[in-house]
Structures are given as C-alpha cells and as structure tokens.
Amino acid sequence: MLIDSYDRVVDYLRISVTERCNFRCQYCMPEKPFSWVPKENLLSFEELFEFIKVCVDEGVNKIRITGGEPLLREDLDKFIKMIYDYKPSIDLSMTTNAFLLKGAAQRLKDAGLKRINVSIDTLIPSVAQEIAGKDVLKNVLEGVDEALKVGLKVKVNMVPMKTLNANEIVDVLEYCKARGMSIRFIEYMENSHAKEGIAGLKSAELLDILKEKYNFSDDGFDGSSPSHYYTMDDGYRFGIIEPYEDDFCKKCNRIRLTAEGHLIPCLYFDEAMSIAESIKRGDIKGAAFVLKEVVRTKPEKNRWGGEDDEVSSRAFYETGG
Ligand code: SAM
Ligand code: SF4
C-alpha cells in the first residue's frame, strides 16, 4: 500500500497520455501557439503499462486516462485493454473533451473502459467556440449521446466563469439531469497558462445561483472524492470541486503521470520525478523507488486560496487536470 507523509493512502493514478489537444480552452491553454513535446520523447503505451503494473502491484486501484485530449493518441483502446486485462476490477475511466468520442465510444467500452468524464462548459455553439477556440459543440454533444448509447457511464465537468457561461449553470445541469448524468462544477484554478483576466465563480456564488431555482441539502464529502456533494429535492445529486478551500487536500489520494514520464505529486506544484529512464532500461525496482519517493514527498496542501499572489505554473493540459 502507498501511504504518504500525512497518512493519506495513495491508490489513484491519473495518466496524461498526450499534452496535445484539438481545443484551446481559455482556462487551460495559452492563446499563442507553442511547441509540443516531440513525439519521440513520449513513453510508448507498452512503457506506460510497465509502470502501471508497478503501481497496481503497490495498491493503485483507480486509473484515469486524460490529457491534453486522450482521444488524439492512436490505439488508445489497445492501451485500455492492456490495463483492463491486467486487473479487470480496476476502476478505469477517462476524461475527454468528447470531440472525437462518437467514433471511439464503442471501441473504448469493448476494451474495458467503465466511465468517462466529459467537459461541457456551455450549450451555446458560439460560446463553445469562444471558450475552445473553434466550433466544437455539435461533435461534443454527439459524442456524449454515443457514449450513453454504448453504455458508458458519463459525468460532466463544467468550469463556471463569470462573463462566459455563468448564465448557463442551470441549463447545463438540466441537460445532464435529463440524460441521467451527474455534473461536477469545477472552480476555475488560476494558472500561468490560462488567458489573462478569467474570473471563475467560487462555490458560494454558484450555490446562490442554484438556490434561486432549486432546494437542495448539503451532503458534504464522500470517500476520497474531491467533490462537495449536494442533493436536490428530487434526489438528483451534483458536486462542486473547491480547490481554494483549506481542507481540499485532506483526503487527496492521487498522483499524476505525464506522457513524458514525469510523476507529479500535486496538481499545483512544479515538482516531479521522472520514471522514464528506469522504465526504458527495464529497471522495475528503480521505477518503484521513484513511485515511493513521489508518494513520500506529496505536499500537504495546494496553494490555491493561499495568502500570497503566487500562481501555479503547472499546465493542466500537461498534467491532465
Ligand atoms: N481534454 C480533456 C478535457 O478537457 O476533458 C481532458 C484534459 S482537461 C485538462 C481535464 C479537466 O481539467 C477538464 O474537465 C477541464 O475542464 C479541467 N480544467 C482545465 N483547466 C482548468 C482550470 N484552469 N481550472 C479548472 N479546471 C480546469
Ligand atoms: Fe484541451 Fe481539455 Fe485543456 Fe480544453 S481543458 S484545452 S479540451 S486539455
């Protein structure tokens, strides 16, 4: 079992299989073009799988594939099948922008994927274009329909922002509710890669908007999920992710691996250790050592909501959020 210095059990690995993305979401990626990590620096799926086996053998039981946009990486279904075949009971999920999901959903389901999270910040095509930098909404919604059709469980992530989509919070919630999908509102996390001037809604502001339309009770937290849950009178449950809250990291159970092999103990900080060299030379003991060091050095808390003006320089598209 992997236990960090604050007695938190680490049993959740998030793997960003590529930092590349077909969207340029304002809150995630720089506006100006930049160069990607060269493809030859990425770990192959076979190499990533060697490290996954180490993690699973040490007690990891939950794996999420993310990115960048994970569906841009070829043969993703084969990678998912490798993980599924190693331990079918693993809670295996993926976060995607869903642009390419329509053509991939059935293959992913057949490979062993259980759940997906889809990012939907708006239901208005022009707003989606403004947020993502291109006309994406039709493909995204078709992708969601297909995922539901093939039997994948779907959760929606929405990042509410003041001038962009705050007026759509109820509409997006109703869209999810009508399709039996749960929704998690994610507070915008400031970072140095996002467009300047984005103002995210904090959970109190979001709750004020929802209170105008619904009655709901505060359920608090559930297991190691980072969501604060609320249940509406009709039983529908929604969550809010509040990284600015002081106790947000208390039950954190996750570490993150980038496509280049950087193992990251916390989404906020730049610190990481590489597993690439050990894995490339077949040194499984070396990779297990890095894993344990990263767990040991996992910081107690992020610094969102801290008192200084420091802004995280970790890129969400690199770590996978
Ligand atoms: N491309 C996929 C997608 O968008 O779903 C997966 C990667 S994306 C980095 C994972 C999640 O991070 C998305 O739900 C996205 O909304 C969220 N995210 C990205 N930047 C964020 C930020 N600055 N604050 C809060 N959430 C953010
Ligand atoms: Fe791409 Fe996801 Fe970042 Fe949007 S949030 S730019 S879809 S990685």
Side-chain angles (χ1 to χ4, degrees), residues 217-253:
S217 59
D218 183 340
D219 294 347
F221 295 86
D222 204 355
S224 54
S225 163
S227 290
H228 190 155
Y229 287 105
Y230 297 84
T231 303
M232 294 182 355
D233 281 354
D234 61 5
Y236 183 73
R237 210 165 181 228
F238 65 89
I240 306 182
I241 299 202
E242 306 160 316
Y244 290 81
E245 292 297 315
D246 191 47
D247 59 355
F248 180 73
C249 307
K250 228 161 77 189
K251 288 185 297 170
C252 184
N253 63 341

Side-chain angles (χ1 to χ4, degrees), residues 21 23-25 27-29 67-69 97 317:
C21 190
F23 289 14
R24 293 286 179 278
C25 300
Y27 48 72
C28 177
M29 284 212 171
E69 177 43 43
N97 63 30
Y317 58 89

